[in-house]
Amino acid sequence: MSTPETSRFVRVRVEVVLEVGDADAVTKAALRRIADDAEMPAAERTHAEGAVTEDTAEALAYLVDPFDLVSQVPGVELQQASWSSERIDYDPDSPEWDLDEDDGDGDDG
């Protein structure tokens, strides 16, 4: 169903909470990814290595790539992506972590 008023662009929002069981393995993988990036300038490489060594969340940001999520989906091309990672306090039983909170259809009330 495509009409002139229908956009071809779709925004997909994903929130993922990961439990890091081996921070050293994550850091080492991020350092390998940085080392393998032949196009990264030396100054940026030094900054990136320091960031991933100091913070596992930064290391994950170097390892999680939105392009990888959609590169095999037929008929789509990634136009823009942004992502970040941060350490959080996580309680799966807390109402704050209700995964359906953004799924409402706006008919509340």
Side-chain angles (χ1 to χ4, degrees), residues 10-16 69 82 99 102-103:
V10 175
R11 177 177 299 187
V12 177
R13 294 184 183 177
V14 177
E15 183 167 335
V16 178
L69 296 173
S82 66
L99 293 178
D102 291 335
D103 293 344

Side-chain angles (χ1 to χ4, degrees), residues 4 9-10 16 20 22 27 34 54 65 68-69 73 75 96 101 106:
F9 299 96
V10 175
V16 178
V20 177
D22 188 346
T27 300
I34 293 166
E54 294 174 15
D65 185 349
D68 291 342
L69 296 173
V73 177
E96 288 182 29
E101 71 182 31

Side-chain angles (χ1 to χ4, degrees), residues 24-63:
D24 191 46
V26 172
T27 300
K28 287 178 182 177
L31 289 170
R32 279 192 302 274
R33 166 86 47 101
I34 293 166
D36 290 345
D37 187 348
E39 296 181 18
M40 185 181 291
E44 185 179 336
R45 182 181 313 279
T46 300
H47 174 74
E49 289 170 344
V52 304
T53 301
E54 294 174 15
D55 187 355
T56 305
E58 286 290 329
L60 278 168
Y62 274 89
L63 295 170

Side-chain angles (χ1 to χ4, degrees), residues 74-94:
V76 301
E77 182 177 333
L78 182 66
Q79 295 297 307
Q80 180 180 355
S82 66
W83 67 104
S84 64
S85 60
E86 62 185 338
R87 291 185 180 270
I88 59 166
D89 292 324
Y90 177 66
D91 177 3
D93 297 324
S94 170

